[in-house]
Amino acid sequence: MSDAPLPSDAPLRRAQRAMHADVNGTAVMMDIEAGHYYGLNAVGTHIWGLLAEPTTPAQIAADLPVHFEVEPEEAERATQTFLADLLTRGLIEPAGA
């Protein structure tokens, strides 16, 4: 994975290969191509919900302090890390793809 941050203004969306379900308020995802399952915590579930529509990393980072007790700088760092991981795993993609 690259250490370069994702462009904050580049919209991302869920990849079609990522199936998901809500289990007691938590997102559980499956990569149907790789056969891997993932469980998300409350923040990850919230971000996954935002990615139902094309959303930029900047929009996600700005939204987190509204819903969770997190400082804006930490929200930005955590958003970058989480989205980079999802992108590397093929669970999200650029919205123009």
Side-chain angles (χ1 to χ4, degrees):
M1 175 169 37
S2 170
D3 289 337
L6 298 169
S8 63
D9 61 347
L12 300 167
R13 67 175 180 205
R14 297 175 186 171
Q16 289 191 1
R17 69 187 260 178
M19 298 182 67
H20 70 278
D22 178 55
V23 179
N24 297 323
T26 300
V28 177
M29 303 181 315
M30 179 181 174
D31 179 340
I32 58 176
E33 291 181 16
H36 296 133
Y37 287 90
Y38 305 94
L40 300 178
N41 65 17
V43 176
T45 297
H46 183 78
I47 292 172
W48 188 251
L50 295 174
L51 290 165
E53 298 293 330
T55 307
T56 67
Q59 290 169 318
I60 293 169
D63 185 71
L64 293 183
V66 174
H67 298 281
F68 300 95
E69 290 186 30
V70 62
E71 295 296 323
E73 297 80 18
E74 178 57 26
E76 186 174 341
R77 280 191 300 275
T79 296
Q80 282 286 331
T81 300
F82 183 63
L83 293 178
D85 187 44
L86 292 178
L87 193 61
T88 298
R89 295 174 189 272
L91 298 172
I92 62 172
E93 61 192 11

